[in-house]
Amino acid sequence: MIKSTKSSEYIFYSLVETPYADPICAMALNDHMLSLGTMLGRITVYFIGDKRSILLSEISAENISGASFESDYVINLTIGDKEILKYEFGQNQSGQLVLNSHSREEIFSTAEDHYNKCETSFTLIGKENVLVIDLNNKDLDGIKQNISFLKVITVYKIYL
Amino acid sequence: MRTNYDLEISNYSVPFDFVDSKYLWLDYLESSQRSISCYNFDSSKVFSHEVRKDFGHVSHMKILPNNRVFLVRNHSLCEIREMENDFKLVQSFYNLGNIEILAIDIGINSTSNQKENRNSENTLIPVDNLIFTLLDREGNVNVWINSLFTKKFNLFEMKDINDEFKKKRFFNMNYPYYIKYCKNFFAVSTDLGCFVIKKI
């Protein structure tokens, strides 16, 4: 069965603008806020209640590969396969949501390890875990054109 | 804390979804065949199902509760399938007007008694309690819930939208686009930025 709702029941509330040619590649929405991440690593949080946005990062080392709310006021973002950012918000005396704290965790243990694996690894973010997939783990040289070759990859599941 | 797992995939694989306990991807195999696979981190088991060329292009896939998957074939055909029983088809429907689907979001119907996240595997969430929100190339936002399809709105025809915005194209850059739905708000990514739409 198909039902149509009048468009007028839905109103334009706001446009959170992003720079030209910097596409949004990570997005998370809950009752209180909207979080956006772009290919160039721009991170914006928009507070729905007071129609206000704050820029958390103009640019990052890598693209924002995922965004996920851990709870109402805590958001986790992955910066490519480099690191995981956690932002925690709270209310100030005026009742406005403000950034309380933030922390970062490197995905690879050393900068050299990240440098060696950056081309072939990527991340996916869930509510409680980050999945790091390293495609270039074993036996790749010389057989890249054989698409049916099945290879074993290593997946790291990081508990947030 | 981190845990390592070894997975077997093809040299050309496309990641689709990850919901803490499961990872869903598509492998390209020989002779135009593809394989849809899902790894369960709790049981360490892999579901894998090969599909032929005539299955068509798969543009979106999301993990559903109860060992099911939601996928979009041939740009506008939506299907819910079981990740067992030979990939058994549970339900299917076309997007309104057969228009290409650009983005999907799946959530729990807040009017139902279910409070669980779609990630939860421990609770049996009927398909009827899920909300499937679809964004298509013409800017329509349609919602499929409990076998009922509702056209919610068109981005270009929203009340209070600036005339300047209406003259612009929202999906001309062929980026990946996103839609999120939470209670009375929709967020839709476009070439201009992210539109926030409120239900009044």
Side-chain angles (χ1 to χ4, degrees):
Chain A
M1 188 188 290
I2 297 169
K3 200 170 84 177
S4 185
T5 313
K6 284 181 186 172
S7 288
S8 58
E9 292 177 10
Y10 293 85
I11 58 164
F12 168 79
Y13 191 73
S14 187
L15 172 65
V16 185
E17 291 187 73
T18 49
Y20 180 73
D22 185 14
I24 292 166
C25 56
M27 195 161 107
L29 174 72
N30 69 9
D31 297 354
H32 312 284
M33 58 183 110
L34 165 72
S35 175
L36 301 172
T38 70
M39 284 300 288
L40 292 177
R42 184 185 177 91
I43 303 169
T44 310
V45 170
Y46 174 79
F47 301 112
I48 291 171
D50 50 6
K51 291 190 170 186
R52 176 174 56 94
S53 64
I54 57 170
L55 185 63
L56 295 176
S57 174
E58 178 76 42
I59 196 163
S60 303
E62 295 188 16
N63 66 306
I64 310 303
S65 51
S68 174
F69 282 103
E70 185 178 310
S71 61
D72 279 0
Y73 300 113
V74 179
I75 186 156
N76 291 300
L77 299 124
T78 44
I79 314 300
D81 65 340
K82 189 176 185 298
E83 57 192 354
I84 303 159
L85 296 185
K86 188 189 290 282
Y87 290 101
E88 192 167 346
F89 297 87
Q91 287 183 328
N92 65 10
Q93 289 179 333
S94 320
Q96 274 193 329
L97 280 173
V98 291
L99 179 62
N100 271 351
S101 65
H102 78 281
S103 60
R104 58 181 67 220
E105 182 186 347
E106 296 287 331
I107 289 175
F108 291 101
S109 51
T110 65
E112 189 183 2
D113 200 15
H114 171 242
Y115 178 79
N116 290 336
K117 293 187 172 177
C118 194
E119 264 187 31
T120 54
S121 65
F122 61 92
T123 58
L124 293 164
I125 195 166
K127 193 176 169 66
E128 296 166 357
N129 307 104
V130 169
L131 192 69
V132 183
I133 298 176
D134 178 13
L135 291 167
N136 197 16
N137 194 40
K138 293 171 187 168
D139 306 320
L140 255 184
D141 289 344
I143 47 175
K144 283 187 176 175
Q145 299 308 312
N146 182 357
I147 63 167
S148 66
F149 175 71
L150 292 172
K151 65 189 178 193
V152 177
I153 60 162
T154 301
V155 169
Y156 306 94
K157 196 174 169 195
I158 301 172
Y159 302 89
L160 294 169
Chain B
M1 191 174 82
R2 64 177 65 197
T3 313
N4 294 4
Y5 301 84
D6 281 347
L7 293 187
E8 197 176 66
I9 66 165
S10 86
N11 260 341
Y12 290 85
S13 74
V14 183
F16 272 95
D17 199 14
F18 169 61
V19 290
D20 293 321
S21 62
K22 288 179 178 175
Y23 168 50
L24 177 69
W25 76 97
L26 182 141
D27 281 321
Y28 282 85
L29 308 172
E30 282 181 330
S31 310
S32 305
Q33 287 204 328
R34 287 154 297 157
S35 168
I36 292 168
S37 302
C38 186
Y39 183 76
N40 187 322
F41 292 96
D42 296 333
S43 65
S44 301
K45 286 183 178 170
V46 181
F47 165 82
S48 201
H49 182 84
E50 285 191 18
V51 293
R52 294 176 175 277
K53 191 177 182 180
D54 58 10
F55 192 79
H57 176 65
V58 178
S59 51
H60 303 274
M61 278 204 290
K62 289 266 188 195
I63 296 165
L64 296 182
N66 307 342
N67 214 19
R68 289 176 175 176
V69 63
F70 174 82
L71 60 91
V72 178
R73 286 169 59 187
N74 295 320
H75 307 294
S76 65
L77 173 58
C78 305
E79 292 184 341
I80 297 164
R81 288 179 176 268
E82 290 182 355
M83 287 194 280
E84 54 193 357
N85 299 328
D86 202 26
F87 212 40
K88 185 184 170 189
L89 181 67
V90 178
Q91 246 168 330
S92 71
F93 55 93
Y94 278 94
N95 184 31
L96 298 179
N98 283 2
I99 303 162
E100 180 188 359
I101 294 167
L102 294 181
I104 59 174
D105 184 43
I106 301 170
I108 306 290
N109 182 7
S110 57
T111 59
S112 76
N113 291 326
Q114 284 287 350
K115 299 288 183 191
E116 305 299 321
N117 187 283
R118 84 175 168 101
N119 302 357
S120 174
E121 282 301 311
N122 299 323
T123 50
L124 295 175
I125 303 171
V127 168
D128 289 350
N129 283 347
L130 296 174
I131 301 176
F132 299 84
T133 307
L134 312 176
L135 167 70
D136 70 34
R137 189 165 283 283
E138 293 185 6
N140 299 305
V141 173
N142 303 320
V143 170
W144 191 85
I145 177 170
N146 200 1
S147 301
L148 188 74
F149 227 142
T150 308
K151 178 182 173 179
K152 290 295 182 187
F153 57 87
N154 181 288
L155 281 175
F156 296 92
E157 296 168 2
M158 274 181 302
K159 192 179 176 185
D160 294 346
I161 190 169
N162 190 318
D163 285 341
E164 280 301 306
F165 291 149
K166 288 183 182 177
K167 293 175 192 167
K168 298 190 174 176
R169 293 181 178 181
F170 294 166
F171 308 109
N172 205 37
M173 302 284 271
N174 286 316
Y175 295 150
Y177 298 101
Y178 297 85
I179 183 163
K180 295 286 176 190
Y181 171 55
C182 185
K183 292 191 178 167
N184 290 328
F185 288 92
F186 291 85
V188 180
S189 75
T190 69
D191 297 340
L192 308 178
C194 186
F195 280 94
V196 182
I197 299 108
K198 185 184 180 185
K199 183 182 180 186
I200 53 171

